[in-house]
Amino acid sequence: MATRSTPHASPAPGATVSPDAPPEGATSGVTSRVMRPARAVGVSAPGVPTGPATGPSPQLAAEAAPTAVLIVGAGPTGLTLACDLARRGVPARVIEQSATLFPGARGKGIQPRTREIFDDLGIGPAIARLGGPYPLMQRWRGRQRLEEWDMLDRAEPHEGSPYRETWMVPQWRTQEVLYERLRELGGSVEFRTRLTGLHQDAHGVSATLAKPSGPDETVRAGYVIAADGGRSTVRRLTGVTMSGHAVDPMPILVADVRLAASHDAASDTASDTLGAVTPASDEAGAAGSADETAGPGGTGAAEGSEWLTAAHIDRDHWHVWSEDRDGSTALCPLAGTDTFQLLAQFDDPDAVPDTSPDAVRRLLAERTSLPASAVREVLWASDFRPRAAMAERFRTGRVFLLGDAAHVHSPAGGQGLNTSVQDAYNLGWKLERVLRHGAHESLLDTYEEERLPIAAEVLGLSTRLHRGRPLDEAGGGVRMGSDTHQLTLSYAGGWLAVDRRAPRPAPDSGVLRPGDRAPNARCVDAAGQEFALFDALQGPHFTLLDFRSAHALPDAPTPLDRPATQSEPSESAFRAAATGAATAPAPAAGPPTPPEPTPDHHHDHDHDHDQAPLRHIVIRHASAHAQQRYGKAVFLIRPDGYIGLITNDPSDVPGYLTRIRHGRPATTPPGADHGAAPHVARGATPDAGRDTTAGADRTVEPTSVAPASR
C-alpha cells in the first residue's frame, strides 16, 4: 500500500483528533512515514480507483446539478454517508486528498448504536467478524504483573438492544469495510484529489478540484459535505469558525506496532523464561532499524537480562505501565489483527514526541522493560493533544459539516468516530427526500437542529470522562458505562418529533417519545408471522407500526404461512386514504425483505419520482418489553430508526409526511405542538468542567485506568 502518514491520532476507542489535526486520512510530513502491508484477515486491502465516481441517475440528471452531492473526505464519516446515499439512489462523488485510506487504528471502538447503523448499511456481519470485545486491563510494574480490571461496564444483550458493549475494530479496517460496501453499491473514491476552491449560489455549489497531474477541475454539485476532519478545508473556505479548549495539555504518542513473537503469546504466556527477544531484523527494516540490544539498562545489555519477552505480552489484556516518571504507557491488542496499539502519555506539557520508528522502540524499552527489539515493525505513528471543540454551525447554505469538521472530541469514552457516523446517518435520508422525492430544502435545516445539541452533549461526556482520572492517583479513573453506547441519545423536542397521543403518557412511564431511538422488539404481525422489529426497520424506508390492538405475545406462538407478497404502500396512498379518495391500503402481513439496493434502484412502490416507500405493519401480538415501551399507539419510524410521529389515529400519518415534504416554515417557533425543542446557542461549546449529560443513563464508577487509555 502506498506510503502514508498522519500527524494526529487518538488513544482510545472511537476517538477523533484535535482541531489542529489534518482532515481525516490526510497526508502530512510531520510524522513518520511508514508502510502498512495488505491485510489478509477477512477483507482485502482496497485498491486506489482512478475512474470517475458514480454518475447521476437518469431521473436526477435533468433535475439537479451534474453531481448531486460532493463528499470531501473518505474517512468513516464520508464513507458512511456515501454508502447511505448509494443505496438510496442518490449519486455522490467522493474525493480524498490522500493516496490511500487512512492507515492507522486511531478510532478503534464501535459503540452499540453504530453497530445497529452498520447492520442497516449491510456491513454488520463484517464488523462482527473482523472485530472483537475489549480486553481486560493488566497493570505492570517493570516485569511484574499487578492487578487486572475491566474498564467497561459490560451487559448482556437483551430484546431491545442486541449490542450492549463497545466492539473493537481498528479504524483502518472499519474504513476498508465501508469502502468495499461502497464499491458493491456502485460507488467509488477519487484519491489524490484536493478541494481548493468553493463558491455557492442559490442553485448549487461550484468546487475546484486539484489532482497531481492535469489541470484543475471545476465541478457543480447540489450540496457539498465537509467530511475532511478537524482541519477541514471546506469549513475554512466557508468561513465557519470552530472554538474549543484543550482538554489535557499533556501530549500523547500513539502507534500501531507489531511485536516479535506476538502471534505465539497465547502459548508462551505461562513460560517463566525471561530473555531478550530474538530480533526479526529483516521484517523490522520496513519501518527502520531496531537497536537489537537496547533495554531498560541502555544499550549493550546481554541476553538473559531480566526483560520481558514479547511473548509475555499476551493478547488477552490491555497492558499498562503507569509508574514511569515520564508518563504512562499502554499496549492494547487490536482485535482481529496481529498488532498492538502503543499509547504513551508525556507528563511534560512541553514534550515533543518523536514518532520515528527508532524513537518508538526506544520509548517502549525505557518505559516497559521490553527490549527495543521486541518491536518488529512500526506500522504507523502519530502524536496529539486532546481537545474539545465545536463549529458554530453545522450548515451554511448548501454546505454541511459532519464528523471532525463539525466537532472534535477527547478520545475518552470512544465517542468521536461514532458521533461522526451518526451525523452521516442523520443527513442521508434527508438529502434523499430533497433530491429524489421533492421535499422542501428547509428539511435539511433539521440536520443542524438535531445534531448540534447531540454533539454538545457528547463533547461534555467525553471531556468529563477524560478528566475523571485523578492525576495524583496512579491507576485511578472512571469506568465507561452505558452512557457511552449512544443508545439513549434522542431528538425529542425537535421539529420532526410530533406527539399526537391523547392523553400523553407520564414522563416517567418508560414509554417511548417522538425523537427517541426505536428499540428492537419481538412481535407477531396480522398474518401470524413472528419477527423482530429491527428486521422490519432495515432499509431506506419509513415504517408504520400499529400497536393499537396488540395482545401479549404467547410463549410459543404458532406462525401461519408467510404471505406470498408484501405490500409497500407509498406516501400517496396514505394521502389518498386521508382525503377519502381511495381505500386505505391493506397492511403488510410481515416485514418485507428489502431488495439489495443499487444506485439506480427505485424504492417507490408506485415509481412516482416524488413518493417514498412506507411499510405498514399491524402488530397482533407483542412481547412484554414491546408493550411496555411502545404501548397502544401508532408509530411512524424515520428511515434512520428514530421515531417521528406517535399518534392514536393513523389519519395523522399523511399530515406528518406532508409536513416533511413541505419543510419547516420560517415562522414555526421551536417546540411548536411537540414540546420544548432542544436548544444550544450557535457557537456554544460545552464547558470543559461541566457535566452536560444530565438525564443520560450514566454508569460511572471509580476504577483503575491508565492515563494513556483515556
Side-chain angles (χ1 to χ4, degrees):
M1 188 170 287
T3 299
R4 181 120 175 229
S5 63
T6 303
H8 291 267
S10 74
T16 55
V17 296
S18 75
D20 299 324
E24 289 182 326
T27 301
S28 172
V30 302
T31 56
S32 56
R33 293 182 175 270
V34 295
M35 302 280 288
R36 179 181 291 280
R39 291 88 180 194
V41 185
V43 64
S44 59
V48 182
T50 57
T54 304
S57 66
Q59 295 171 301
L60 215 59
E63 303 169 12
T67 296
V69 181
L70 174 65
I71 300 174
V72 182
T77 311
L79 291 173
T80 296
L81 181 60
C83 288
D84 197 22
L85 293 178
R87 69 173 181 154
R88 297 177 182 280
V90 177
R93 185 173 180 179
V94 186
I95 63 171
E96 167 57 51
Q97 70 173 7
S98 299
T100 66
L101 299 175
F102 176 73
R106 194 155 67 182
K108 60 183 179 292
I110 307 298
Q111 299 294 354
R113 178 56 186 156
T114 303
R115 293 195 68 184
E116 294 175 359
I117 293 171
F118 285 168
D119 282 347
D120 186 34
L121 293 179
I123 64 171
I127 292 295
R129 183 178 69 255
L130 298 172
Y134 270 70
L136 295 176
M137 310 296 290
Q138 171 70 66
R139 195 159 71 92
W140 292 80
R141 179 181 294 128
R143 57 182 288 268
Q144 178 185 3
R145 283 181 182 263
L146 301 176
E147 76 276 10
E148 66 177 29
W149 74 95
D150 198 342
M151 69 181 294
L152 304 178
D153 282 328
R154 303 178 194 265
E156 292 296 322
H158 60 65
E159 182 180 334
S161 302
Y163 307 113
R164 298 278 286 167
E165 66 178 70
T166 308
W167 193 247
M168 185 189 293
V169 184
Q171 181 173 323
W172 59 261
R173 176 149 280 160
T174 298
Q175 291 182 181
E176 285 186 351
V177 172
L178 283 165
Y179 178 53
E180 290 303 317
R181 180 58 174 154
L182 177 61
R183 300 207 310 184
E184 288 175 2
L185 293 168
S188 65
V189 175
E190 297 176 47
F191 292 95
R192 301 186 182 93
T193 304
R194 287 187 304 117
L195 176 77
T196 59
L198 189 69
H199 173 75
Q200 58 176 313
D201 52 47
H203 306 290
V205 184
S206 296
T208 304
L209 309 182
K211 298 187 178 184
S213 60
D216 290 354
E217 176 188 4
T218 299
V219 300
R220 284 286 288 177
Y223 298 95
V224 171
I225 307 301
D228 52 345
R231 285 185 175 177
S232 171
T233 298
V234 179
R235 190 183 67 233
R236 175 177 57 81
L237 291 173
T238 57
V240 176
T241 61
M242 174 177 269
S243 57
H245 53 264
V247 173
D248 191 335
M250 308 303 179
I252 296 175
L253 179 144
V254 57
D256 295 350
V257 300
R258 182 172 286 121
L259 299 184
S262 61
H263 59 285
D264 296 326
S267 60
D268 293 346
T269 301
S271 171
D272 293 330
T273 302
L274 291 172
V277 175
T278 301
S281 57
D282 55 335
E283 296 190 40
S289 61
D291 180 349
E292 308 301 353
T293 60
T299 60
E303 184 173 348
S305 299
E306 291 190 344
W307 306 340
L308 290 171
T309 66
H312 283 77
I313 306 303
D314 63 80
R315 297 191 63 83
D316 296 326
H317 292 87
W318 186 331
H319 304 273
V320 178
W321 291 263
S322 58
E323 299 180 359
D324 189 274
R325 67 180 182 276
D326 294 327
S328 64
T329 305
L331 280 169
C332 176
L334 294 172
T337 76
D338 63 349
T339 61
F340 286 79
Q341 186 180 69
L342 168 65
L343 303 147
Q345 186 174 34
F346 293 79
D347 286 345
D348 179 3
D350 296 324
V352 180
D354 186 342
T355 59
S356 67
D358 282 344
V360 170
R361 291 185 171 95
R362 286 194 300 270
L363 181 146
L364 190 70
E366 291 166 359
R367 293 191 180 192
T368 69
S369 294
L370 279 165
S373 58
V375 180
R376 288 171 52 187
E377 193 173 5
V378 179
L379 298 169
W380 169 81
S382 184
D383 70 285
F384 73 103
R385 296 171 191 261
R387 286 181 55 83
M390 192 165 71
E392 63 177 348
R393 58 185 181 272
F394 290 2
R395 180 188 185 186
T396 173
R398 291 177 170 270
V399 178
F400 296 85
L401 308 183
L402 279 67
D404 289 358
H407 43 79
V408 175
H409 306 249
S410 157
Q415 300 299 289
L417 181 150
N418 296 274
T419 305
S420 302
V421 166
Q422 290 213 51
D423 287 347
Y425 198 57
N426 179 283
L427 183 59
W429 72 270
K430 297 172 183 178
L431 285 169
E432 179 201 15
R433 295 293 294 187
V434 171
L435 289 168
R436 294 201 64 208
H437 306 301
H440 192 273
E441 194 180 55
S442 62
L443 172 65
L444 301 176
D445 289 337
T446 63
Y447 166 69
E448 178 180 286
E449 176 189 283
E450 294 183 336
R451 295 306 299 168
L452 192 147
I454 293 293
E457 180 176 346
V458 173
L459 278 169
L461 169 64
S462 58
T463 297
R464 177 174 59 82
L465 288 173
H466 190 107
R467 293 179 170 176
R469 177 190 179 273
L471 297 179
D472 58 350
E473 178 186 346
V478 294
R479 180 176 293 146
M480 292 197 299
S482 58
D483 54 339
T484 65
H485 295 170
Q486 301 200 349
L487 294 172
T488 58
L489 297 176
S490 176
Y491 303 135
W495 183 75
L496 289 176
V498 177
D499 196 334
R500 298 293 191 194
R501 288 173 293 187
R504 296 181 184 177
D508 60 351
S509 64
V511 176
L512 294 164
R513 306 165 299 167
D516 288 350
R517 159 188 165 272
N520 193 29
R522 291 174 55 241
C523 299
V524 173
D525 62 29
Q529 176 186 346
E530 185 172 357
F531 67 98
L533 281 186
F534 273 11
D535 291 339
L537 299 182
Q538 284 191 15
H541 57 272
F542 284 83
T543 306
L544 186 64
L545 302 173
D546 189 344
F547 281 91
R548 290 175 300 164
S549 60
H551 301 287
L553 182 67
D555 291 338
T558 303
L560 302 178
D561 292 337
R562 178 186 292 269
T565 59
Q566 306 291 354
S567 169
E568 287 192 11
S570 71
E571 171 185 333
S572 59
F574 280 95
R575 185 182 298 116
T579 60
T583 303
T593 301
E596 177 66 14
T598 59
D600 59 351
H601 178 69
H602 294 268
H603 297 292
D604 321 76
H605 176 261
D606 54 4
H607 301 293
D608 290 340
H609 175 65
D610 63 344
Q611 304 303 332
L614 186 152
R615 288 183 182 155
H616 181 197
I617 303 174
V618 174
I619 310 298
R620 173 186 290 179
H621 297 288
S623 67
H625 162 78
Q627 294 195 66
Q628 193 278 327
R629 297 304 312 279
Y630 284 91
K632 302 286 187 180
V634 175
F635 293 76
L636 184 63
I637 313 300
R638 300 169 10 169
D640 59 355
Y642 287 85
I643 300 169
L645 168 71
I646 307 180
T647 181
N648 302 117
D649 186 353
S651 66
D652 290 332
V653 173
Y656 180 86
L657 294 173
T658 299
R659 176 191 185 95
I660 290 177
R661 179 176 173 80
H662 290 173
R664 180 172 185 167
T667 57
T668 300
D673 86 9
H674 50 266
H679 175 72
V680 174
R682 288 182 181 270
T685 56
D687 186 341
R690 181 171 58 88
D691 179 5
T692 62
T693 58
D697 179 15
R698 295 195 299 267
T699 308
V700 181
E701 302 174 6
T703 187
S704 299
V705 63
S709 68
R710 289 183 288 178

